[in-house]
Amino acid sequence: MDFQEIKSLDAQYLAKTYARYPVALVGGRNATLTDSEGKEYIDFGAGIAVNIFGANDEAWKAAVIEQLGKIQHVSNYYYAEPQVRLAKLLCERTGAKRVFFSNSGGEANECALKAARKYSFMKYGAGRSRIVSLKNSFHGRTLFTLTATGQEEFHRYFAPFVPEVAYADASLPDVVRAAENKACAVIIECVQGESGVTALSKPFVQALAAWCKEQDVLLICDEVQCGNGRTGTLYSYEQYGITPDIVTTAKGLAGGLPIGACLFFERAQDALSAGDHGSTFGGNPVSCAAAVNVISRLTREFLLEVQGKAAYLRAKLKNIEGVKAVTGLGMMIGLEIGTDSKQAAAACLEKGLLVLTAHKRLRLVPPLTITKTEMDEGLSILKEVLS
Ligand SMILES: *Cc1c(COP(=O)(O)O)cnc(C)c1O
């Protein structure tokens, strides 16, 4: 199919949920992608921080194909080796005790929020079910995670919401106010993605973690976007010197296949028991095999390279005319620009560069394997567009 045919069938048959850029991506290698008409793009978006190793990574493909040659799906009524391999890896790398697998970030957060309510209920009984989330957060599209998303624009049309969710500024006094002594959990993104690529301050996150511990309120770190090597450490909370009670992740975890994970640390490890939660596809063996490949390759050396690439990109970006600020952490980069971000993204696309937006900012989340040549090509297009 050529682009016009794809576009018209999409308009005819798909729900109108997406405002798409006028491109159909069909292939590529690493951070260089090709569209249906043969035009090439440098990829600074990685399918929203998903394609950690870019397109057509040989070792990743081999891991996926090996599992496809065995079996594509097994029910969670039975044991599955790829699941235990991945869960063991994640626990060994993070210090978490147990993992629940889902299929997406929203579901990983749904699991975390349910588990927090149960943890509190079992220990303290009813009346302590409140979830505190931060303003400008994004936690997903299921009704509970949408409720926990602290941005009003997402809340139009979908009332009534899940009760007992309160929003706070990123300050401890405001979290304490919002908790009203009836919170079971606080959910944060150490680096807020959708709302503008904003890293929370270290003193705030540390004070929050200490307060949560003291109050026996679970601290949930949503690492759906900022996790899996994106910020230069396996998970971004590591850079804040805290230990959360629950960590959720998804996007890049399996390098391009659907998966979500909810990691339970010591305090929360027994929150869920048989029958409390489940998923038909959760922990799919192909997704898990892909994620084992991803996590086992995010070694110390690899992460140091990511840090180097992030430093390189950030230094170059700061010097581009029209860039007012460079935000975020590691390879999760926000660009404050004087002009409309959607227009700038469209202009980049036109010139062969894929970037994302996050409200008023441009959002850059390239594959972690991006080469220097690819970075330089992308930077030169950005420079052209912004100046
Ligand atoms: C993308 C995202 C989600 C939702 O993940 P889905 O896989 O789209 O359900 C949740 N939290 C954060 C921080 C995200 O970036």
Side-chain angles (χ1 to χ4, degrees):
M1 284 187 207
D2 68 9
F3 177 66
Q4 283 313 324
E5 202 176 348
I6 297 168
K7 188 180 167 189
S8 75
L9 290 171
D10 184 295
Q12 190 175 352
Y13 291 114
L14 280 156
K16 301 178 189 173
T17 48
Y18 302 108
R20 302 192 202 269
Y21 292 104
V23 162
L25 297 167
V26 296
R29 188 156 290 280
N30 201 19
T32 308
L33 303 184
T34 317
D35 74 8
S36 55
E37 317 302 286
K39 181 175 164 184
E40 287 201 335
Y41 301 84
I42 297 296
D43 182 16
F44 277 5
I48 319 188
V50 167
N51 298 333
I52 293 264
F53 300 143
N56 267 297
D57 179 87
E58 296 300 337
W60 181 86
K61 276 195 296 183
V64 169
I65 290 164
E66 190 190 339
Q67 181 55 43
L68 279 172
K70 294 176 185 165
I71 192 165
Q72 73 277 28
H73 167 79
V74 292
S75 155
N76 279 312
Y77 287 131
Y78 310 104
Y79 292 91
E81 184 177 326
Q83 277 188 18
V84 298
R85 274 187 197 281
L86 178 58
K88 181 168 183 278
L89 252 183
L90 287 169
C91 288
E92 285 172 354
R93 289 291 297 273
T94 61
K97 299 294 183 196
R98 300 183 179 281
V99 183
F100 177 85
F101 290 118
S102 57
N103 313 287
S104 66
E107 286 171 280
N109 285 331
E110 185 81 22
C111 173
L113 299 174
K114 283 175 70 179
R117 281 194 170 169
K118 186 178 170 210
Y119 171 86
S120 188
F121 183 83
M122 298 306 282
K123 217 162 156 180
Y124 304 100
R128 201 173 173 280
S129 58
R130 180 165 294 187
I131 306 290
V132 177
S133 84
L134 297 187
K135 291 175 187 165
N136 296 316
S137 58
F138 183 86
H139 298 299
R141 304 282 197 160
T142 68
L143 199 55
F144 202 169
T145 60
L146 186 70
T147 308
T149 291
Q151 299 183 61
E152 269 173 28
E153 60 178 277
F154 288 100
H155 291 175
R156 269 174 296 168
Y157 317 125
F158 301 115
F161 293 97
V162 178
E164 288 304 329
V165 175
Y167 313 99
D169 294 323
S171 85
L172 186 58
D174 207 45
V175 170
V176 173
R177 172 204 58 77
E180 283 189 271
N181 289 320
K182 49 183 180 179
C184 61
V186 178
I187 183 168
I188 62 169
E189 301 153 85
C190 286
V191 187
Q192 295 184 327
E194 301 292 325
S195 66
V197 198
T198 308
L200 298 179
S201 87
K202 198 166 169 177
F204 163 62
V205 172
Q206 292 190 337
L208 175 65
W211 178 81
C212 284
K213 203 149 272 151
E214 182 194 300
Q215 301 290 319
D216 200 13
V217 168
L218 298 184
L219 177 60
I220 304 169
C221 283
D222 177 345
E223 296 263 353
V224 169
Q225 187 165 168
C226 55
N228 309 304
R230 173 60 47 197
T231 65
T233 48
L234 186 58
Y235 292 103
S236 70
Y237 72 80
E238 296 166 34
Q239 295 180 56
Y240 285 78
I242 58 157
T243 305
D245 299 299
I246 299 179
V247 168
T248 58
T249 190
K251 287 195 169 82
L253 178 57
L257 288 176
I259 194 170
C262 183
L263 280 59
F264 296 100
F265 289 66
E266 192 141 18
R267 197 146 54 123
Q269 66 171 314
D270 297 320
L272 294 177
S273 25
D276 284 342
H277 198 52
S279 166
T280 299
F281 285 117
N284 171 271
V286 183
S287 294
C288 285
V292 166
N293 180 265
V294 169
I295 297 298
S296 56
R297 287 166 64 189
L298 298 181
T299 58
R300 215 185 113 72
E301 299 73 54
F302 184 95
L303 292 170
L304 283 174
E305 274 177 42
V306 173
Q307 289 170 21
K309 288 176 192 182
Y312 179 78
L313 275 177
R314 285 169 179 279
K316 295 276 177 185
L317 288 165
K318 278 196 184 105
N319 288 325
I320 290 181
E321 200 191 318
V323 172
K324 305 218 169 348
V326 182
T327 68
L329 199 62
M331 288 275 261
M332 185 167 170
I333 302 173
L335 290 186
E336 185 96 45
I337 55 175
T339 56
D340 183 80
S341 62
K342 292 264 186 283
Q343 270 173 20
C348 286
L349 181 91
E350 182 71 32
K351 292 190 187 301
L353 174 67
L354 305 176
V355 297
L356 306 173
T357 60
H359 285 210
K360 286 184 189 149
R361 291 182 183 151
L362 289 182
R363 174 170 38 151
L364 314 182
V365 283
L368 304 182
T369 48
I370 191 168
T371 63
K372 179 159 183 304
T373 315
E374 288 169 329
M375 287 193 281
D376 287 342
E377 269 185 61
L379 285 164
S380 88
I381 295 172
L382 257 180
K383 197 169 180 173
E384 238 182 282
V385 168
L386 295 179
S387 52

